[in-house]
Amino acid sequence: CCYPAARTFASMGREFGLHPLTPTIEAPPVLPGDHHVMLPPFHSAIISTPHLALTFDDGPHGSLTPRLLDVLAKKNVKATFYVIGRNVEAHPEIARRVVAEGHEIANHTWSHPSLSGLSAERVADELSRTHEVVLEATGVRMTNLRPPYGAFNDLVRQVAFEEHGYDTIMWSVDPQDWKYRNSARVTRKLVAGAAPGAVLLCHDIHKTTIAAIPPVLDQLLPRDYRFVTVAQLMTMDESGRQDSNLRPPGPKPGA
């Protein structure tokens, strides 16, 4: 399925990404080749335990991502970082820190285009360049993709799966931190949207978002929510990925 408005939204974000106490969770590892068919896009998990995923798009940012990593380390919370390849190229040491501290790193393309408007060759280039720069910087072979603006179609999913075995990952909670640079609002929206299996969307390129995360954790951890990576959350999903009962998000404009 694709989002017709995504190309219009993409024009708003052409410069996007250019300048830029939780107990140990035991979850089954995700191994390359665990599945051999292309699965539906993943928006959230159907689970009976209070696990959810905190995700950050568009970094790494030279100063803000390290500040965020300090916050997560203090609370022993793991997250998933959807990185832009050229930002990894500019800050490989931060990408290495993301991995070294136990977070998941995943593909958000090289230059943040609307993939649904590109040819198969361009899609492959955007994904492969980022895949290779992350592999070189961290030694990690990424396992999933989040399309910029939430813009994808069957072609994008097929290229991502056939080239790299990527699952396509969306989200279930969007505080619109790219639009509303208000920390209190971002905190309120994330806390209100938290639920077992939720995937929370944030961006580690905005100061207001970084400021919003400590109070989010301070409110959710005492409620027994446990933060896992997207890959871990997928292994916990009880839906069989037949997720037509889950409402997919609309396209996400850029900053």
Side-chain angles (χ1 to χ4, degrees):
C1 58
C2 60
Y3 301 106
R7 190 173 302 177
T8 298
F9 285 132
S11 66
M12 300 166 60
R14 286 177 180 144
E15 300 303 316
F16 198 64
L18 281 173
H19 311 293
L21 221 347
T22 200
T24 300
I25 299 301
E26 295 295 337
V30 177
L31 301 176
D34 265 2
H35 56 74
H36 304 281
V37 295
M38 185 170 65
L39 298 174
F42 184 76
H43 312 111
S44 61
I46 296 178
I47 57 175
S48 54
T49 57
H51 296 87
L52 72 171
L54 182 60
T55 70
F56 296 94
D57 289 10
D58 304 328
H61 185 280
S63 60
L64 296 180
T65 303
R67 284 171 53 188
L68 173 62
L69 289 169
D70 290 343
V71 170
L72 298 177
K74 184 178 180 179
K75 297 293 186 178
N76 193 25
V77 164
K78 306 307 178 188
T80 299
F81 288 81
Y82 286 95
V83 296
I84 293 177
R86 58 188 177 189
N87 289 346
V88 172
E89 184 177 60
H91 304 290
E93 74 288 352
I94 301 177
R96 285 192 287 271
R97 181 182 170 188
V98 166
V99 171
E101 296 186 3
H103 304 288
E104 181 178 11
I105 193 166
N107 203 320
H108 199 47
T109 74
W110 180 263
S111 62
H112 206 273
S114 176
L115 294 177
S116 60
L118 302 184
S119 66
E121 292 75 15
R122 286 283 311 283
V123 171
D125 182 64
E126 284 283 335
L127 301 184
S128 293
R129 291 179 71 186
T130 301
H131 189 90
E132 292 304 318
V133 75
V134 168
L135 180 61
E136 181 178 358
T138 70
V140 169
R141 294 184 182 275
M142 299 178 290
T143 63
N144 62 76
L145 156 75
R146 173 171 284 159
Y149 315 106
F152 68 90
N153 53 27
D154 288 341
L155 174 65
V156 171
R157 291 177 59 217
Q158 183 175 2
V159 170
F161 180 77
E162 291 183 352
E163 293 287 329
H164 302 292
Y166 285 165
D167 286 298
T168 299
I169 309 298
M170 302 300 281
W171 59 87
S172 60
V173 179
D174 180 4
Q176 297 187 313
D177 59 332
W178 50 267
K179 181 177 181 180
Y180 299 103
R181 310 295 176 85
N182 181 301
S183 296
R185 184 187 190 279
V186 174
T187 296
R188 185 172 66 252
K189 293 293 184 180
L190 290 173
V191 171
V199 177
L200 310 183
L201 169 68
C202 304
H203 300 79
D204 53 327
I205 61 170
H206 305 310
K207 291 187 294 185
T208 45
T209 298
I210 308 306
I213 299 306
V216 168
L217 301 180
D218 288 343
Q219 292 181 60
L220 294 182
L221 290 173
R223 291 163 54 183
D224 290 331
Y225 278 109
R226 299 294 175 253
F227 292 88
V228 295
T229 65
V230 166
Q232 289 174 318
L233 190 65
M234 290 171 66
T235 69
M236 300 175 181
D237 182 37
E238 301 167 2
S239 71
R241 299 293 298 279
Q242 302 302 313
D243 53 359
S244 59
N245 59 314
L246 303 178
R247 179 175 299 175
K252 177 191 58 158

